[in-house]
Amino acid sequence: MPPNNPRIAIVGAGLGGLTLSLFLKQRGITAVLYDRAKSAQRYNYGITLYASTYRPLLKLLSIDESAFRKQVAVDSQKDGAGRVADLEDRGLSDAIRCNRGRLEALLHDNLDVKWEKTLQSVQRASGGNEKTLKFEDGSTTIVDLLFGCDGPHSATRQSLLSSAKLQILPYAVYNGKRRIVEADVIERLLQHFQDSTLIQELHGNVRLEIGINDITASHLDLSYTFSRPAKQEGADPLHRPDRSLDASRTTPAELFDELKSLRNLEFPFNELFDPEKVRDDRLLHWLMRCIVLEKRDIDELGSQGIALIGDAAHATPILGGNGANMAISDALALGEAIGSDGFEGAVKFSKQQAPGQWTDHVQDSRKRIGAMHGVEKGRF
């Protein structure tokens, strides 16, 4: 059995890891976060949180909803509240589009984060529950409880469950970011975001989306996404499921050709998806990845004081998914379990949370991404 004050490592200082660590800290439980990034200053893009996710955070952060919106909503500097109109149509009127960087800064609260720590492997002791974490810089640490909160490409999962593979869905998706500094263009753009911080159009099965990432006194940061189902016959130059991570920054010329073929786009879509302007932006080829761990694997890890949460355990497509929401919800549930029952709480969490709930979550996200592109139910 582990000691009364177990050594706890959380791999991944993203939303799930930060939420879990903060929850434990407020209950007098020490945990150390390890992340491969150089620092906390790494994200400046919008994410959507549902009320069922962020309202439990308010108590954790000791903040009311109005103050929370003012600190994290992408349009808060223009007195906005992060409205997302299409979610209001789905009965989620209290959803907020947050700036992820500001949300993570709010969660940090002097947590113990070890930056530039890339996990290389996890070795489990043949007897007892000690785990040895080895990092690429040559350092090691021994822990009693290990929580992998390190996203869809989880190094924790890859070390412990090398046979668990991500599934790539057949969609061609390209995301770009643009900073607007011209005051007249900003003013005109914001007129189209008065009712929502996220807008989209469907042209056949091509979906165009534009979202606000941040607004300051000097500029407007936007992200935009071109997506469509992959072509079913022959090679599709825009869908590259086997590409390397580095190749995500390589944009096929055919993307610009497809953008040129989109006729009669109105402002702001004709502005953001102008193929000549797009060439100057930072573009990424996104892959829509899914995974749900097998129950036997979850139970085995749980019995050894190891739990994976969020996208490390049940990744959803970036489009149509709600990975941030599930990462935070998982972290709060795991924190509650540990706070109540210590080591045994981690075991109970693994048995109670998965895989049924997680499977449903991933399946719902797959259906959602199909509906977003006008794809008939069940096609993919």
Side-chain angles (χ1 to χ4, degrees), residues 300-315:
E300 179 187 357
L301 293 180
S303 68
Q304 300 173 43
I306 303 171
L308 303 179
I309 67 171
D311 281 342
H314 49 104

Side-chain angles (χ1 to χ4, degrees), residues 25 30 44 52 147 233 235 282 324 341 345 379:
K25 178 183 177 182
T30 301
N44 182 39
S52 58
F147 304 124
E233 297 181 3
R282 190 227 64 170
D341 298 307
R379 177 176 171 184

Side-chain angles (χ1 to χ4, degrees), residues 1-9 122-133 141-147 160 298-307 341-348 350:
M1 290 296 291
N4 292 330
N5 296 307
R7 296 160 292 183
I8 301 174
V122 179
Q123 294 183 348
R124 290 171 276 184
S126 56
N129 288 291
E130 286 189 344
K131 277 75 65 174
T132 301
L133 278 58
T141 188
I142 298 175
V143 300
D144 303 298
L145 293 173
L146 170 61
F147 304 124
L160 296 167
I298 297 167
D299 288 348
E300 179 187 357
L301 293 180
S303 68
Q304 300 173 43
I306 303 171
D341 298 307
F343 180 89
E344 291 303 321
V347 177
K348 292 178 182 179
S350 296

Side-chain angles (χ1 to χ4, degrees), residues 82-109:
R83 288 186 57 200
V84 185
D86 70 324
L87 291 179
E88 292 179 2
D89 295 340
R90 291 166 52 196
L92 298 170
S93 59
D94 293 331
I96 303 176
R97 184 165 170 82
C98 304
N99 179 280
R100 177 167 175 170
R102 294 206 297 272
L103 177 59
E104 289 196 356
L106 195 60
L107 289 167
H108 267 286
D109 191 34

Side-chain angles (χ1 to χ4, degrees), residues 43-45 73-78 99 102 177-190 193 211-223:
Y43 297 123
N44 182 39
Y45 61 80
V74 294
D75 56 349
S76 59
Q77 288 210 22
K78 293 290 184 180
N99 179 280
R102 294 206 297 272
K177 291 184 178 179
R178 189 177 305 169
R179 173 164 290 183
I180 312 295
V181 297
E182 299 85 359
D184 58 332
V185 179
I186 292 175
E187 181 178 359
R188 190 179 177 202
L189 282 165
L190 290 180
F193 285 99
I212 295 175
N213 287 334
D214 199 11
I215 302 174
T216 73
S218 62
H219 61 260
L220 169 65
D221 286 337
L222 298 175
S223 64

